[in-house]
Amino acid sequence: MADTITFYTNPMSRARIVRWMLEEIGEPYETVVLDYGTTMKAPEYLAVNPMGKVPAIKYGETVVTEGAAICAYLADMFPDRGLAPAPGNPMRGPYYRWLFFAAGPVEAAVTAKALGLLAPEDKKAMAGYGTYEDTMNALERAVSGSPYICGEQFTAADVYVGSQIGWGTMFGTIEKRPTFLEYLGRIQSRPAARRANELDDALMPKQEPQG
């Protein structure tokens, strides 16, 4: 395996989730910032991700795209970091369950709400998330009753689920329920989360001063 992970990103994207995960892992990585509509759609990057979207990582000859998949991959590649319950641990089930629940029903429901395209009552059975309300209630269950999704162990699932909740409550697509805000307070205070935000914020386009 190569010593350095290559991280393809844009600070105004879901790649911020992967930045946080990389900071939790603590391994060296190279950041490649891509721009929408230009370098993100260039042949060089399309060879990495044919979707022309970020995030993506390359480690040795392995390419992984999709935020949840990258989080799970990194947790498994560096098991000594303790960011996933070990195989055979009963918490491995909830870890996978809620990580991919956030990547599936939560992502779909939140996007549909933001676009004003939530499934009507007579079509809700066709939507993977069912109803927005059911999805939010299930999400609240995931972060209730213990400090983290896997009890006392902070994992990659918290990175991904927490990022979804953080963005949703910021942009108004997820309700600011007390349970959500308490959970965010715990995970967003982590040193790796703070470092990741500082690094990505430094890459944000600078606004010209108004005269």
Side-chain angles (χ1 to χ4, degrees), residues 114-197:
L115 296 174
L117 296 172
L118 285 168
E121 182 67 24
D122 63 335
K123 297 289 193 304
K124 65 181 182 181
M126 298 175 63
Y129 58 84
T131 69
Y132 175 83
E133 292 75 18
D134 287 346
T135 303
M136 291 301 105
N137 290 338
L139 181 62
E140 185 171 20
R141 177 183 171 185
V143 299
S144 300
S146 60
Y148 305 114
I149 287 171
C150 294
E152 298 295 323
Q153 180 184 6
F154 177 89
T155 68
D158 295 294
V159 173
Y160 194 85
V161 173
S163 295
Q164 292 280 15
I165 294 174
W167 283 337
T169 53
M170 180 186 301
F171 293 113
T173 52
I174 291 179
E175 304 160 359
K176 292 183 177 180
R177 299 183 183 185
T179 304
F180 292 154
L181 299 181
E182 291 166 10
Y183 174 67
L184 287 175
R186 284 192 295 276
I187 64 173
Q188 290 180 340
S189 64
R190 294 179 62 84
R194 291 178 174 175
R195 284 196 307 273
N197 275 329

Side-chain angles (χ1 to χ4, degrees), residues 79-97:
D80 58 314
R81 306 307 195 272
L83 290 166
N89 185 323
M91 295 308 295
R92 189 83 169 181
Y95 165 76
Y96 280 131
R97 175 188 182 183

